[in-house]
């Protein structure tokens, strides 16, 4: 079992806190940072590190359970039940390495994080027109 995920909450994002938690778990599953059998931090642990109400974390975990990604085991915690990782996007994959090299080049050329996000968003929307991301 790997170390637990650390949530980062952006209170200015306009995205509900519980959805930020859900999306971060989904991303960790896609990137292989979380795998089947891994235990998520308790609601109290999340509250201590993020100042998020424990009920918000529990709501996120219920959403993950509804999606079939996690299960609550009474008295033991919340555990990941399946992965979303794709071999072509995991650690060590050529696509991930290529993207990493691109990020290094973008930074070397003076692009800020916001510049990179805008450029990525533009390229993403061109490659995945609305309605084709699923």
């Amino acid at each position: 079992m790997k170390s637990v995920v650390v949530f980062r909450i952006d209170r200015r994002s306009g995205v509900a806190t519980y959805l930020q938690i859900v999306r971060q778990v989904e991303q960790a599953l896609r990137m292989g940072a979380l795998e089947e059998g891994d235990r998520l931090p308790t609601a109290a642990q999340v509250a201590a590190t993020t100042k998020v109400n424990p009920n918000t974390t529990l709501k996120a975990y219920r959403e993950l359970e509804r999606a079939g990604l996690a299960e609550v085991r009474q008295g033991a915690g919340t555990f990941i039940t399946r992965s979303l990782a794709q071999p072509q996007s995991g650690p060590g994959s050529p696509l991930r390495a290529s993207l990493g090299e691109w990020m290094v080049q973008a930074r070397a050329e003076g692009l800020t994080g916001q510049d990179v996000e805008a450029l990525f968003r533009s390229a993403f929307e061109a490659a995945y027109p609305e309605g084709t991301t699923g």
Side-chain angles (χ1 to χ4, degrees), residues 49-88:
T49 59
T50 63
K51 308 298 184 239
V52 167
N53 185 308
N55 289 328
T56 300
T57 302
L58 294 173
K59 181 176 180 179
Y61 287 3
R62 282 192 303 273
E63 185 67 29
L64 291 165
E65 196 170 24
R66 270 194 294 279
L69 298 174
E71 77 174 341
V72 176
R73 298 179 194 159
Q74 217 47 36
T78 303
F79 293 84
I80 297 299
T81 55
R82 70 182 176 98
S83 174
L84 294 175
Q86 299 291 322
Q88 62 271 33

Side-chain angles (χ1 to χ4, degrees), residues 96-119:
R96 190 167 181 164
S98 180
L99 181 58
E101 291 167 11
W102 182 86
M103 292 286 188
V104 169
Q105 181 183 356
R107 188 172 194 168
E109 292 185 17
L111 272 69
T112 66
Q114 289 176 329
D115 295 335
V116 169
E117 283 186 45
L119 186 55

Side-chain angles (χ1 to χ4, degrees), residues 21-57:
I21 293 170
V22 168
R23 289 176 182 169
Q24 288 175 45
V25 169
E26 290 172 341
Q27 174 147 352
L29 288 168
R30 283 188 179 88
M31 296 293 102
L34 282 174
E35 297 176 343
E36 187 175 335
D38 286 346
R39 184 176 181 269
L40 293 173
T42 66
Q45 289 169 324
V46 175
T49 59
T50 63
K51 308 298 184 239
V52 167
N53 185 308
N55 289 328
T56 300
T57 302

